[in-house]
Amino acid sequence: MRIGIVCYPTFGGSGVLATELGKALAQKGHQVHFITYQQPVRLNGFIPNIFYHEVQVPTYPLFDYPPYETALASTMVDVIKNNNLDLLHVHYAIPHASAAFMAKKILEQEGKTIPVITTLHGTDITLVGRDKTYAPVVAFSINQSDAITAVSENLRDETYKTFTIQKEIQVIYNFVDVQRFSRKPIDAFKKVIAPKGERILMHASNFRKIKRVQDVVKIFYEVQKKMPAKLLFVGDGPERQSAEELARSLGVHEEVRFVGKQEQMEDILAIADLFLLTSEYESFGLAALEAMAAGVPVISTNAGGLNEINVEGETGYMADVGDILTMSRKALDILEKDETLNAFKKRAAEHAKKFDIANIVPIYEQLYERFL
Ligand code: GMT
């Protein structure tokens, strides 16, 4: 098949998922065309079946806001025509679904039918999408898609609650390449982070408000009172500074390390003992799944679709949003004894296999085949 993929190229979960999907499809022999405004972060190295088309947005003094959606739709038309694509798969509804609708209509006039599949990822529905300045266009363009998928049952239900959707929304979970994430820890790296063999707690995200990264610091503060521990923050974003300030004011900044945006998550996760995800909402929580695949148990909130991946008492524990005491108590329960920690690690890695790339990518392929 010749497949067009549209996504955000940045470190967000939807872009990561879309890029990993494209890479997996290319490995299976499909021709994959990425259409984005920048090289997607996980699209590194040369892969013969992958093509990359950059969306250029020309500026003009009149434009206070350069019309990205128009440029995107035009690029879609161009790429679909010149490469005779079979279908277009857009990730994150805003503005990808409406640009795809526009491209589809333009091509229809020229006698070319292009099926559009829209995958909803989370905040495109639950936060930004429901904002009334976007909602009518989001609802319309989702309904105009030939197929709609959501990354969890929670997100599917939220979408039906938020908009009047006339079509079936198929749930296709996030996935992870379990083999890639089953790495042995690099001892030298572990020694740099935890020279005295301290437990390593980790959080990875885009540090947006919704992630509540201050709660991560607060949980760590409680944990390190009881046992030697280090906290590793991966990623960057608007709330990073306030997390750093909180660590400083609680006097734990020496134990907290910010390593910024990282591509080799598998190497970093390999040294972690516990992953913290304190989000106010998470449609699925791809970062938690990657942690589990690396054999790292998860302490998370029970918001959104997190209970669809984190199994209480098996792969980790969950608590209400903001319930620092429960989350820190549960973190200590896992971390205190080697025996308990190892059992949690084993079960987390085992559970991640349910979401292995080999199980989920064929579901997308079956969906595509319906339109050929
Ligand atoms: O919040 C993020 O990390 C970015 C966001 C995105 O769309 O780029 O992630 C969402 O999509 C991921 C992949 O499907 C999900 O695993 C995340 O749970 C979801 N984030 C939220 O719902 C807040």
Side-chain angles (χ1 to χ4, degrees), residues 247-262:
R248 220 170 273 286
S249 72
L250 292 173
V252 292
H253 55 284
E254 295 289 345
E255 324 305 327
V256 181
R257 196 148 172 162
F258 292 83
V259 295
K261 294 176 182 173
Q262 297 289 332

Side-chain angles (χ1 to χ4, degrees), residues 12-15 17 92 121-123 126 151 174 206 208 210-211 281-286:
S14 62
L17 199 278
Y92 205 90
H121 280 273
T123 49
T126 56
V151 298
N174 281 179
N206 46 29
R208 296 203 193 117
I210 200 166
K211 306 289 176 184
Y281 178 80
E282 212 53 72
S283 66
F284 181 92
L286 180 59

Side-chain angles (χ1 to χ4, degrees), residues 8 10-18 91-92 119-124 126-127 150-152 154-155 172-175 204-208 210-211 277 279-289 304-306 309 364:
Y8 280 101
T10 47
F11 275 90
S14 62
V16 167
L17 199 278
H91 293 260
Y92 205 90
T119 290
L120 309 171
H121 280 273
T123 49
D124 45 352
T126 56
L127 196 69
V151 298
S152 65
N154 172 272
L155 183 59
I172 306 183
Y173 287 126
N174 281 179
F175 59 82
S205 77
N206 46 29
F207 287 62
R208 296 203 193 117
I210 200 166
K211 306 289 176 184
L277 195 59
S279 309
E280 195 161 319
Y281 178 80
E282 212 53 72
S283 66
F284 181 92
L286 180 59
L289 177 61
L306 281 166
I309 55 160
Y364 279 113

Side-chain angles (χ1 to χ4, degrees), residues 62-130:
L62 184 65
F63 298 155
D64 278 341
Y65 304 98
Y68 174 64
E69 196 173 332
T70 307
L72 175 62
S74 296
T75 311
M76 284 173 176
V77 170
D78 190 60
V79 174
I80 292 164
K81 270 202 310 202
N82 290 329
N83 299 281
N84 200 18
L85 298 192
D86 296 311
L87 60 89
L88 192 61
H89 187 174
V90 303
H91 293 260
Y92 205 90
I94 309 168
H96 302 150
S98 45
F101 170 71
M102 175 71 102
K104 186 183 171 80
K105 285 289 158 196
I106 294 169
L107 288 163
E108 223 166 73
Q109 278 205 327
E110 299 180 19
K112 164 114 184 133
T113 307
I114 183 85
V116 172
I117 294 164
T118 299
T119 290
L120 309 171
H121 280 273
T123 49
D124 45 352
I125 299 299
T126 56
L127 196 69
V128 201
R130 63 163 40 126

Side-chain angles (χ1 to χ4, degrees), residues 2 40 50 89 91 105 147 174 186 199 237 239 252 269 272 275 291-292 300 312 339 347 350 359 367:
R2 288 181 298 272
I50 290 191
H89 187 174
H91 293 260
K105 285 289 158 196
N174 281 179
I186 302 170
R199 297 289 198 216
E239 296 295 308
V252 292
L269 282 165
F275 191 82
M292 283 185 201
S300 72
E312 182 74 7
E339 203 188 340
R347 287 193 299 260
E350 197 51 42
N359 299 328
L367 172 64

